[in-house]
Coordinates of all heavy atoms in Angstrom, one line a residue:
M1 N 252.3 71.7 26.1 CA 251.2 70.9 26.5 C 250.1 71.7 27.2 O 248.9 71.6 26.9 CB 251.7 69.8 27.5 CG 250.6 68.8 27.9 SD 250.2 67.8 26.5 CE 249.1 66.6 27.2
A2 N 250.6 72.5 28.2 CA 249.6 73.4 28.9 C 249.0 74.4 27.9 O 247.8 74.7 28.0 CB 250.3 74.1 30.0
H3 N 249.7 74.9 27.0 CA 249.2 75.8 26.0 C 248.1 75.1 25.1 O 247.1 75.7 24.9 CB 250.4 76.2 25.1 CG 249.9 77.2 24.0 ND1 249.5 78.4 24.3 CD2 249.9 77.0 22.6 CE1 249.2 79.1 23.2 NE2 249.4 78.2 22.2
R4 N 248.3 73.8 24.8 CA 247.3 73.1 24.0 C 246.0 72.9 24.8 O 244.9 73.1 24.3 CB 247.9 71.8 23.6 CG 246.9 71.0 22.7 CD 247.5 69.8 22.2 NE 246.5 69.0 21.5 CZ 246.5 67.8 21.3 NH1 247.6 67.1 21.6 NH2 245.6 67.2 20.7
I5 N 246.1 72.6 26.1 CA 245.0 72.4 26.9 C 244.2 73.8 27.1 O 243.0 73.8 27.0 CB 245.4 71.9 28.3 CG1 245.9 70.5 28.2 CG2 244.2 72.0 29.3 CD1 246.5 69.9 29.5
N6 N 244.9 74.9 27.2 CA 244.3 76.2 27.2 C 243.5 76.5 26.0 O 242.3 77.0 26.0 CB 245.3 77.3 27.5 CG 245.5 77.6 28.9 OD1 244.7 77.2 29.7 ND2 246.5 78.3 29.2
L7 N 244.0 76.1 24.8 CA 243.3 76.4 23.6 C 242.1 75.5 23.5 O 241.0 75.9 23.0 CB 244.3 76.1 22.4 CG 245.4 77.2 22.2 CD1 246.3 76.7 21.0 CD2 244.8 78.5 21.9
E8 N 242.2 74.2 23.9 CA 241.1 73.3 23.9 C 240.0 73.8 24.8 O 238.8 73.8 24.5 CB 241.5 71.9 24.3 CG 242.3 71.3 23.2 CD 242.8 69.9 23.6 OE1 242.6 69.5 24.7 OE2 243.5 69.3 22.8
R9 N 240.4 74.3 26.0 CA 239.4 74.8 27.0 C 238.7 76.1 26.4 O 237.5 76.2 26.5 CB 240.1 75.2 28.3 CG 239.1 75.6 29.4 CD 239.8 76.0 30.6 NE 240.7 75.0 31.2 CZ 241.6 75.3 32.1 NH1 241.6 76.5 32.6 NH2 242.4 74.4 32.6
R10 N 239.5 77.0 25.8 CA 238.9 78.2 25.2 C 237.8 77.8 24.1 O 236.8 78.3 24.0 CB 239.9 79.0 24.5 CG 240.5 80.0 25.5 CD 241.3 81.1 24.7 NE 242.4 81.5 25.6 CZ 243.5 82.0 25.1 NH1 243.7 82.2 23.9 NH2 244.4 82.4 26.0
G11 N 238.2 76.8 23.3 CA 237.3 76.3 22.2 C 236.0 75.8 22.8 O 234.9 76.1 22.3
L12 N 236.2 75.0 23.9 CA 235.0 74.4 24.5 C 234.1 75.5 25.1 O 232.9 75.4 25.0 CB 235.5 73.4 25.6 CG 234.4 72.6 26.3 CD1 233.6 71.8 25.3 CD2 235.0 71.8 27.4
L13 N 234.8 76.4 25.8 CA 234.0 77.5 26.4 C 233.3 78.4 25.4 O 232.2 78.8 25.6 CB 234.9 78.4 27.3 CG 235.4 77.7 28.6 CD1 236.4 78.7 29.3 CD2 234.3 77.4 29.5
G14 N 234.0 78.6 24.2 CA 233.3 79.3 23.1 C 232.1 78.6 22.6 O 231.1 79.2 22.4
K15 N 232.2 77.3 22.4 CA 231.1 76.5 21.9 C 230.0 76.5 22.9 O 228.8 76.6 22.6 CB 231.5 75.1 21.6 CG 232.4 75.0 20.3 CD 232.9 73.6 20.1 CE 233.8 73.6 18.9 NZ 234.5 72.3 18.8
L16 N 230.3 76.4 24.2 CA 229.3 76.4 25.3 C 228.6 77.7 25.3 O 227.4 77.8 25.4 CB 230.0 76.1 26.6 CG 229.1 76.0 27.8 CD1 228.1 74.9 27.7 CD2 229.9 75.8 29.1
G17 N 229.3 78.8 25.2 CA 228.7 80.1 25.2 C 227.7 80.3 24.0 O 226.6 80.8 24.1
L18 N 228.1 79.8 22.8 CA 227.3 79.8 21.7 C 226.0 79.0 21.9 O 224.9 79.5 21.6 CB 228.0 79.3 20.4 CG 227.2 79.3 19.1 CD1 226.9 80.7 18.7 CD2 228.0 78.6 18.0
V19 N 226.1 77.8 22.4 CA 225.0 77.0 22.7 C 224.0 77.6 23.7 O 222.8 77.6 23.5 CB 225.4 75.6 23.2 CG1 224.2 74.8 23.7 CG2 226.1 74.8 22.0
L20 N 224.6 78.2 24.7 CA 223.7 78.9 25.7 C 223.0 80.1 25.2 O 222.0 80.5 25.7 CB 224.6 79.2 27.0 CG 225.0 78.0 27.8 CD1 225.9 78.4 28.9 CD2 223.9 77.1 28.3
S21 N 223.6 80.8 24.3 CA 223.1 82.1 23.8 C 222.0 81.9 22.7 O 221.2 82.7 22.4 CB 224.2 83.0 23.3 OG 224.8 82.5 22.1
L22 N 222.0 80.7 22.1 CA 221.1 80.5 21.0 C 219.6 80.5 21.4 O 218.8 81.2 20.7 CB 221.3 79.1 20.3 CG 222.6 79.1 19.4 CD1 222.8 77.7 18.8 CD2 222.4 80.1 18.2
P23 N 219.2 79.9 22.5 CA 217.8 80.1 22.9 C 217.4 81.5 23.2 O 216.3 81.9 22.8 CB 217.7 79.2 24.2 CG 218.8 78.3 24.1 CD 219.9 79.0 23.4
A24 N 218.2 82.3 23.8 CA 217.9 83.7 24.0 C 217.7 84.4 22.7 O 216.8 85.3 22.6 CB 219.0 84.4 24.9
L25 N 218.6 84.2 21.8 CA 218.5 84.8 20.5 C 217.2 84.4 19.8 O 216.5 85.2 19.2 CB 219.7 84.4 19.6 CG 219.8 85.0 18.2 CD1 219.9 86.5 18.4 CD2 221.0 84.4 17.5
A26 N 216.9 83.1 19.9 CA 215.6 82.6 19.3 C 214.4 83.3 19.9 O 213.5 83.7 19.2 CB 215.5 81.1 19.4
L27 N 214.4 83.5 21.2 CA 213.3 84.1 21.9 C 213.2 85.6 21.5 O 212.1 86.1 21.2 CB 213.4 84.0 23.4 CG 213.2 82.7 24.0 CD1 213.5 82.6 25.5 CD2 211.7 82.3 23.7
S28 N 214.3 86.3 21.4 CA 214.3 87.7 21.1 C 213.8 87.9 19.7 O 213.2 88.9 19.4 CB 215.7 88.4 21.3 OG 216.6 87.9 20.3
E29 N 214.1 87.0 18.8 CA 213.6 87.2 17.4 C 212.2 86.7 17.2 O 211.6 87.1 16.2 CB 214.6 86.5 16.4 CG 215.9 87.1 16.3 CD 216.8 86.5 15.3 OE1 216.4 85.5 14.7 OE2 217.8 87.1 15.0
S30 N 211.7 85.9 18.1 CA 210.4 85.3 17.9 C 209.3 86.3 18.3 O 208.2 86.2 17.8 CB 210.2 84.0 18.6 OG 210.2 84.2 20.0
R31 N 209.6 87.2 19.2 CA 208.5 88.1 19.7 C 207.9 89.0 18.6 O 206.7 89.0 18.4 CB 209.0 89.0 20.8 CG 208.9 88.4 22.1 CD 209.2 89.3 23.2 NE 208.9 88.7 24.5 CZ 209.0 89.3 25.6 NH1 209.6 90.5 25.7 NH2 208.7 88.7 26.7
P32 N 208.7 89.8 17.8 CA 208.1 90.6 16.7 C 207.5 89.7 15.7 O 206.4 90.0 15.2 CB 209.3 91.3 16.2 CG 210.4 91.3 17.2 CD 210.1 90.0 18.0
A33 N 208.1 88.5 15.4 CA 207.5 87.7 14.4 C 206.1 87.2 14.9 O 205.2 87.1 14.1 CB 208.4 86.5 14.1
R34 N 206.0 86.8 16.2 CA 204.8 86.3 16.7 C 203.7 87.4 16.7 O 202.6 87.2 16.4 CB 205.0 85.8 18.1 CG 203.9 85.1 18.7 CD 204.2 84.4 20.0 NE 205.5 84.8 20.6 CZ 205.6 85.2 21.9 NH1 204.6 85.1 22.7 NH2 206.7 85.6 22.4
S35 N 204.1 88.7 17.1 CA 203.2 89.8 17.2 C 202.7 90.1 15.8 O 201.6 90.6 15.6 CB 203.8 91.0 17.9 OG 204.8 91.5 17.1
A36 N 203.5 89.9 14.8 CA 203.1 90.2 13.4 C 202.0 89.3 13.0 O 201.2 89.6 12.1 CB 204.3 90.2 12.5
Q37 N 201.9 88.1 13.6 CA 200.9 87.1 13.2 C 199.6 87.3 14.0 O 198.6 86.8 13.6 CB 201.4 85.7 13.5 CG 202.6 85.3 12.7 CD 203.3 84.1 13.2 OE1 202.9 83.5 14.2 NE2 204.3 83.6 12.5
L38 N 199.6 88.1 15.0 CA 198.4 88.4 15.8 C 197.7 89.5 15.2 O 198.2 90.5 14.7 CB 198.8 88.7 17.3 CG 199.6 87.6 18.0 CD1 200.0 88.1 19.4 CD2 198.9 86.3 18.1
E39 N 196.3 89.5 15.4 CA 195.5 90.6 14.9 C 195.1 91.5 16.0 O 195.1 91.0 17.2 CB 194.3 90.1 14.1 CG 193.3 89.3 14.9 CD 192.2 88.8 14.1 OE1 192.4 87.8 13.3 OE2 191.1 89.3 14.2
Q40 N 194.8 92.7 15.7 CA 194.4 93.7 16.7 C 193.0 93.3 17.3 O 192.1 92.9 16.5 CB 194.3 95.0 16.0 CG 194.3 96.2 16.9 CD 195.6 96.4 17.7 OE1 195.4 96.6 18.9 NE2 196.7 96.3 17.1
L41 N 192.9 93.4 18.6 CA 191.6 93.2 19.2 C 190.7 94.4 18.8 O 191.0 95.5 18.9 CB 191.7 93.2 20.7 CG 190.4 93.1 21.5 CD1 189.7 91.7 21.2 CD2 190.7 93.3 23.0
S42 N 189.5 94.0 18.3 CA 188.5 95.0 17.9 C 187.6 95.4 19.0 O 187.2 94.5 19.8 CB 187.7 94.5 16.7 OG 186.6 95.3 16.5
E43 N 187.3 96.6 19.1 CA 186.4 97.0 20.2 C 185.0 96.4 20.0 O 184.2 96.3 21.0 CB 186.2 98.5 20.3 CG 187.5 99.2 20.7 CD 187.4 100.7 20.8 OE1 186.3 101.3 20.7 OE2 188.5 101.4 20.9
S44 N 184.7 96.0 18.8 CA 183.4 95.3 18.5 C 183.4 93.8 18.8 O 182.3 93.2 18.7 CB 183.0 95.6 17.1 OG 183.9 95.0 16.2
D45 N 184.5 93.3 19.1 CA 184.6 91.9 19.5 C 183.8 91.7 20.7 O 183.8 92.4 21.7 CB 186.1 91.5 19.8 CG 186.3 90.1 20.1 OD1 185.7 89.6 21.1 OD2 187.2 89.5 19.5
P46 N 182.9 90.6 20.7 CA 182.0 90.4 21.9 C 182.8 90.3 23.2 O 182.3 90.9 24.3 CB 181.3 89.1 21.6 CG 181.3 89.0 20.1 CD 182.6 89.7 19.7
A47 N 183.9 89.7 23.2 CA 184.7 89.6 24.5 C 185.2 90.9 24.9 O 185.3 91.3 26.1 CB 185.9 88.6 24.3
A48 N 185.6 91.7 23.9 CA 186.1 93.1 24.2 C 185.0 94.0 24.8 O 185.1 94.7 25.7 CB 186.7 93.7 23.0
Q49 N 183.8 93.8 24.1 CA 182.7 94.6 24.6 C 182.3 94.2 26.0 O 181.9 95.1 26.8 CB 181.5 94.4 23.6 CG 181.7 95.1 22.3 CD 180.5 95.0 21.4 OE1 179.7 94.0 21.4 NE2 180.3 96.0 20.6
A50 N 182.4 92.9 26.3 CA 182.0 92.5 27.7 C 182.8 93.1 28.8 O 182.4 93.4 29.9 CB 182.1 91.0 27.8
L51 N 184.1 93.5 28.4 CA 185.0 94.1 29.4 C 185.2 95.6 29.1 O 186.0 96.3 29.6 CB 186.3 93.4 29.4 CG 186.3 92.0 30.0 CD1 187.6 91.3 29.9 CD2 185.9 92.0 31.5
Q52 N 184.3 96.1 28.1 CA 184.3 97.5 27.8 C 185.7 98.0 27.3 O 186.2 99.1 27.6 CB 183.8 98.4 28.9 CG 182.4 98.1 29.3 CD 181.9 98.8 30.5 OE1 182.6 99.6 31.1 NE2 180.6 98.7 30.8
Y53 N 186.4 97.1 26.6 CA 187.8 97.5 26.1 C 187.7 98.6 25.1 O 186.8 98.7 24.2 CB 188.4 96.3 25.3 CG 189.6 96.6 24.6 CD1 190.8 96.8 25.2 CD2 189.6 96.8 23.2 CE1 192.0 97.1 24.5 CE2 190.7 97.1 22.4 CZ 191.9 97.3 23.1 OH 193.1 97.6 22.4
V54 N 188.6 99.6 25.2 CA 188.7 100.7 24.3 C 190.2 100.7 23.9 O 191.1 100.5 24.8 CB 188.3 102.0 24.8 CG1 186.7 102.1 24.9 CG2 188.9 102.3 26.2
S55 N 190.5 101.1 22.7 CA 191.9 101.1 22.2 C 192.6 102.4 22.7 O 193.8 102.5 22.6 CB 192.0 101.0 20.7 OG 191.3 102.0 20.1
D56 N 191.8 103.4 23.2 CA 192.4 104.6 23.7 C 191.6 104.9 25.0 O 190.4 105.2 25.0 CB 192.1 105.8 22.7 CG 192.7 107.1 23.1 OD1 193.1 107.2 24.3 OD2 192.8 108.0 22.3
V57 N 192.4 104.9 26.1 CA 191.8 105.1 27.5 C 191.1 106.4 27.6 O 190.2 106.5 28.5 CB 192.9 104.9 28.5 CG1 193.9 106.1 28.5 CG2 192.3 104.7 29.9
S58 N 191.4 107.4 26.8 CA 190.7 108.7 26.9 C 189.2 108.5 26.6 O 188.4 109.4 27.0 CB 191.3 109.7 26.0 OG 191.1 109.4 24.6
R59 N 188.8 107.4 26.0 CA 187.4 107.2 25.7 C 186.7 106.2 26.7 O 185.6 105.9 26.6 CB 187.2 106.6 24.3 CG 187.6 107.6 23.2 CD 187.2 107.1 21.8 NE 188.2 106.2 21.4 CZ 188.0 104.9 21.2 NH1 186.8 104.3 21.5 NH2 189.0 104.0 20.8
A60 N 187.5 105.8 27.7 CA 187.0 104.8 28.7 C 186.1 105.5 29.7 O 186.4 106.7 30.1 CB 188.2 104.2 29.4
K61 N 185.2 104.8 30.2 CA 184.3 105.3 31.3 C 184.6 104.4 32.5 O 184.5 103.2 32.5 CB 182.8 105.1 30.9 CG 182.4 105.9 29.7 CD 180.9 105.8 29.5 CE 180.5 106.8 28.4 NZ 180.4 106.1 27.1
G62 N 185.1 105.1 33.5 CA 185.4 104.4 34.8 C 186.9 104.0 35.0 O 187.2 103.3 35.9
A63 N 187.8 104.4 34.1 CA 189.2 104.0 34.2 C 189.8 104.9 35.3 O 189.6 106.1 35.4 CB 189.9 104.2 32.9
D64 N 190.7 104.2 36.2 CA 191.4 105.0 37.1 C 192.4 105.9 36.4 O 192.9 105.5 35.3 CB 192.2 104.0 38.0 CG 191.3 103.2 39.0 OD1 190.2 103.7 39.2 OD2 191.7 102.1 39.4
A65 N 192.8 107.0 37.0 CA 193.7 107.9 36.4 C 195.1 107.2 36.1 O 195.6 106.5 37.0 CB 193.9 109.1 37.2
G66 N 195.6 107.3 34.9 CA 196.9 106.7 34.6 C 196.8 105.2 34.3 O 197.9 104.6 33.9
A67 N 195.7 104.6 34.4 CA 195.6 103.1 34.1 C 195.5 102.9 32.6 O 194.6 103.5 31.9 CB 194.4 102.5 34.8
T68 N 196.4 102.1 32.0 CA 196.3 101.8 30.6 C 196.7 100.3 30.5 O 197.3 99.7 31.5 CB 197.3 102.6 29.7 OG1 198.6 102.3 30.1 CG2 197.0 104.1 29.9
C69 N 196.6 99.7 29.3 CA 197.0 98.4 29.1 C 198.5 98.2 29.4 O 199.0 97.2 30.0 CB 196.7 97.9 27.7 SG 195.0 97.7 27.3
A70 N 199.3 99.3 29.0 CA 200.7 99.2 29.2 C 201.2 99.0 30.6 O 202.2 98.4 30.9 CB 201.4 100.5 28.6
N71 N 200.4 99.4 31.6 CA 200.8 99.2 33.0 C 199.8 98.3 33.7 O 199.8 98.2 35.0 CB 200.9 100.6 33.8 CG 199.6 101.4 33.8 OD1 198.5 100.8 33.6 ND2 199.8 102.7 33.9
C72 N 199.1 97.4 33.0 CA 198.3 96.4 33.5 C 199.1 95.1 33.7 O 200.0 94.8 32.9 CB 197.1 96.1 32.5 SG 196.1 94.8 33.0
S73 N 198.9 94.4 34.8 CA 199.6 93.2 35.1 C 199.3 92.1 34.1 O 200.1 91.1 34.0 CB 199.4 92.7 36.5 OG 198.0 92.4 36.7
L74 N 198.3 92.2 33.3 CA 197.9 91.2 32.3 C 198.5 91.4 30.9 O 198.3 90.7 30.0 CB 196.4 91.0 32.2 CG 195.7 90.7 33.6 CD1 194.2 90.7 33.4 CD2 196.2 89.4 34.1
Y75 N 199.2 92.6 30.8 CA 199.8 93.0 29.5 C 201.1 92.4 29.3 O 201.9 92.2 30.2 CB 199.9 94.5 29.5 CG 200.3 95.2 28.3 CD1 199.5 95.3 27.2 CD2 201.6 95.6 28.2 CE1 199.9 95.9 26.0 CE2 202.1 96.2 27.0 CZ 201.2 96.4 25.9 OH 201.7 97.0 24.8
G76 N 201.4 92.1 28.1 CA 202.8 91.6 27.7 C 203.3 92.3 26.5 O 202.6 92.5 25.5
A77 N 204.5 92.8 26.6 CA 205.1 93.5 25.5 C 205.3 92.6 24.4 O 205.5 91.4 24.6 CB 206.5 94.1 25.9
A78 N 205.2 93.1 23.2 CA 205.3 92.2 22.0 C 206.2 92.8 20.9 O 206.0 92.6 19.8 CB 203.9 92.0 21.4
G79 N 207.2 93.5 21.4 CA 208.2 94.0 20.5 C 207.8 95.3 19.8 O 208.5 95.8 18.9
D80 N 206.7 95.9 20.2 CA 206.2 97.1 19.6 C 205.7 97.9 20.8 O 204.8 97.5 21.5 CB 205.1 96.8 18.6 CG 204.5 98.0 18.0 OD1 204.6 99.1 18.6 OD2 203.9 97.9 16.9
A81 N 206.2 99.1 20.9 CA 205.8 100.0 22.1 C 204.3 100.4 22.1 O 203.8 100.8 23.1 CB 206.7 101.2 22.1
T82 N 203.7 100.3 20.9 CA 202.3 100.7 20.9 C 201.3 99.7 21.1 O 200.1 100.0 21.2 CB 202.0 101.4 19.5 OG1 202.1 100.3 18.5 CG2 203.0 102.5 19.2
Q83 N 201.7 98.4 21.2 CA 200.7 97.3 21.3 C 201.4 96.1 22.0 O 202.6 96.0 21.9 CB 200.1 96.9 20.0 CG 201.0 96.5 19.0 CD 200.4 96.4 17.6 OE1 199.2 96.7 17.4 NE2 201.1 95.9 16.7
G84 N 200.6 95.2 22.5 CA 201.1 94.0 23.1 C 200.0 93.0 23.3 O 198.9 93.2 22.9
T85 N 200.4 91.9 24.0 CA 199.4 90.9 24.2 C 198.7 91.1 25.5 O 199.1 91.9 26.4 CB 200.1 89.5 24.3 OG1 201.1 89.5 25.3 CG2 200.8 89.2 22.9
C86 N 197.6 90.4 25.7 CA 196.8 90.5 27.0 C 196.4 89.0 27.3 O 196.0 88.3 26.4 CB 195.6 91.3 26.8 SG 194.5 91.2 28.2
Q87 N 196.6 88.7 28.6 CA 196.3 87.3 29.0 C 194.8 87.0 28.9 O 194.4 85.8 28.8 CB 196.7 87.1 30.4 CG 198.2 87.2 30.6 CD 198.6 87.0 32.1 OE1 197.9 86.4 32.9 NE2 199.8 87.6 32.4
L88 N 193.9 88.0 28.8 CA 192.5 87.8 28.7 C 192.1 87.6 27.2 O 191.0 87.0 27.0 CB 191.7 88.9 29.3 CG 191.9 89.1 30.8 CD1 191.0 90.3 31.2 CD2 191.5 87.9 31.5
F89 N 192.9 88.1 26.3 CA 192.5 88.1 24.9 C 193.5 87.3 24.1 O 194.3 87.9 23.3 CB 192.3 89.5 24.3 CG 191.2 90.3 25.0 CD1 191.6 91.3 25.9 CD2 189.9 89.9 24.9 CE1 190.6 92.0 26.6 CE2 188.9 90.7 25.6 CZ 189.2 91.7 26.4
A90 N 193.6 86.0 24.3 CA 194.6 85.2 23.6 C 194.5 85.3 22.1 O 193.5 85.3 21.5 CB 194.4 83.7 24.1
G91 N 195.7 85.4 21.5 CA 195.8 85.5 20.0 C 195.5 86.9 19.5 O 195.4 87.0 18.3
K92 N 195.3 87.9 20.3 CA 195.0 89.2 19.9 C 196.0 90.2 20.5 O 196.7 89.9 21.5 CB 193.6 89.7 20.3 CG 192.5 88.7 19.9 CD 192.1 88.9 18.5 CE 190.9 88.0 18.2 NZ 190.2 88.3 17.0
L93 N 196.1 91.3 19.8 CA 197.0 92.4 20.4 C 196.1 93.5 20.9 O 195.0 93.8 20.3 CB 197.9 93.0 19.3 CG 199.0 92.1 18.8 CD1 199.6 92.7 17.5 CD2 200.0 91.9 19.9
V94 N 196.4 94.1 22.0 CA 195.7 95.3 22.5 C 196.6 96.5 22.4 O 197.9 96.3 22.4 CB 195.2 95.0 24.0 CG1 194.3 93.9 24.0 CG2 196.4 94.8 24.9
K95 N 196.0 97.6 22.4 CA 196.8 98.9 22.3 C 197.4 99.2 23.7 O 196.7 99.1 24.7 CB 196.0 100.0 21.8 CG 195.6 99.9 20.4 CD 196.8 100.1 19.5 CE 196.5 100.2 18.0 NZ 197.7 100.3 17.2
A96 N 198.7 99.6 23.7 CA 199.3 100.0 25.0 C 198.5 101.1 25.6 O 198.4 101.2 26.9 CB 200.7 100.4 24.7
A97 N 197.9 102.0 24.9 CA 197.1 103.1 25.4 C 195.7 102.7 25.6 O 194.8 103.6 26.0 CB 197.2 104.3 24.4
G98 N 195.4 101.4 25.5 CA 194.0 101.0 25.7 C 193.7 100.7 27.2 O 194.5 100.9 28.1
W99 N 192.5 100.2 27.4 CA 192.0 99.9 28.8 C 190.8 99.0 28.7 O 190.0 99.0 27.7 CB 191.7 101.2 29.5 CG 191.1 101.0 30.9 CD1 191.9 101.0 32.0 CD2 189.8 100.9 31.3 NE1 191.0 100.8 33.1 CE2 189.7 100.8 32.7 CE3 188.6 100.9 30.6 CZ2 188.5 100.6 33.4 CZ3 187.4 100.8 31.3 CH2 187.4 100.7 32.7
C100 N 190.6 98.2 29.7 CA 189.3 97.5 29.9 C 189.0 97.4 31.4 O 189.8 97.7 32.2 CB 189.3 96.1 29.2 SG 190.0 94.8 30.2
R101 N 187.8 96.9 31.7 CA 187.3 96.9 33.1 C 188.1 95.9 33.9 O 188.1 95.9 35.2 CB 185.9 96.6 33.2 CG 185.0 97.7 32.6 CD 183.6 97.6 33.0 NE 183.3 98.2 34.4 CZ 183.5 99.5 34.7 NH1 184.1 100.3 33.9 NH2 183.1 99.9 35.9
A102 N 188.9 95.0 33.3 CA 189.6 94.0 34.0 C 191.0 94.5 34.4 O 191.9 93.7 34.9 CB 189.8 92.7 33.2
W103 N 191.3 95.8 34.1 CA 192.6 96.3 34.4 C 193.1 96.0 35.8 O 192.3 96.1 36.8 CB 192.6 97.9 34.2 CG 194.0 98.5 34.5 CD1 195.0 98.6 33.6 CD2 194.5 99.0 35.7 NE1 196.1 99.2 34.2 CE2 195.8 99.4 35.5 CE3 194.0 99.1 37.0 CZ2 196.6 99.9 36.5 CZ3 194.8 99.6 38.0 CH2 196.1 100.0 37.7
S104 N 194.3 95.5 35.9 CA 194.9 95.1 37.2 C 196.3 95.8 37.3 O 197.1 95.6 36.5 CB 195.0 93.6 37.2 OG 195.7 93.2 38.4
G105 N 196.4 96.6 38.4 CA 197.7 97.2 38.6 C 198.8 96.3 38.9 O 198.6 95.2 39.3
L106 N 200.0 96.7 38.6 CA 201.2 95.9 38.8 C 201.6 95.7 40.3 O 201.2 96.4 41.1 CB 202.4 96.5 38.1 CG 202.2 96.5 36.6 CD1 203.4 97.3 35.9 CD2 202.1 95.1 36.0
Ligands
LIG201 FE1 194.4 96.0 28.7 FE2 194.7 94.8 31.1 FE3 192.3 94.9 30.0 FE4 194.1 93.3 28.9 S1 193.2 93.2 31.0 S2 192.8 94.7 27.8 S3 196.0 94.5 29.2 S4 193.5 96.7 30.7

């Protein structure tokens, strides 16, 4: 009897673990898929120009040493080390090595 209860408990815990891990799995798979749907922010975009966005910080005028999109508090990783999302440019990807005047340290 106790053996049967143990097996039922294991089965229940296994199902519970599966249910709890599904949302995490869905989130981890949605990031690359989501970033694949986003287009790259163009430096000629009026919003990008307003903030003097450049895709390569070496061409920026006025950037603090070491400041890039990758270490900006408004940057979000998008499953690709070379680019990510930015809270200021919804629906677009910015380059990790990029920069704009709204850069904000972590
Ligand atoms: Fe890059 Fe930050 Fe400017 Fe967004 S706000 S473009 S992440 S420097």
Side-chain angles (χ1 to χ4, degrees):
M1 183 70 171
H3 179 68
R4 184 172 173 204
I5 292 173
N6 267 347
L7 289 176
E8 287 175 358
R9 187 185 304 166
R10 270 193 215 157
L12 182 61
L13 290 175
K15 288 176 186 169
L16 182 62
L18 178 64
V19 167
L20 292 176
S21 65
L22 285 176
L25 182 63
L27 286 175
S28 68
E29 289 187 352
S30 66
R31 274 189 171 179
R34 192 171 15 133
S35 67
Q37 296 168 354
L38 301 176
E39 65 181 72
Q40 194 66 226
L41 176 64
S42 168
E43 291 180 12
S44 62
D45 182 302
Q49 287 184 329
L51 291 174
Q52 299 176 353
Y53 169 78
V54 287
S55 60
D56 182 346
V57 70
S58 68
R59 293 186 284 109
K61 295 184 175 98
D64 292 337
T68 65
C69 289
N71 59 25
C72 175
S73 63
L74 302 175
Y75 183 77
D80 178 340
T82 65
Q83 59 191 5
T85 58
C86 171
Q87 293 178 29
L88 294 183
F89 301 106
K92 306 278 182 166
L93 291 171
V94 297
K95 289 292 187 184
W99 177 89
C100 85
R101 292 199 84 58
W103 180 88
S104 173
L106 297 174

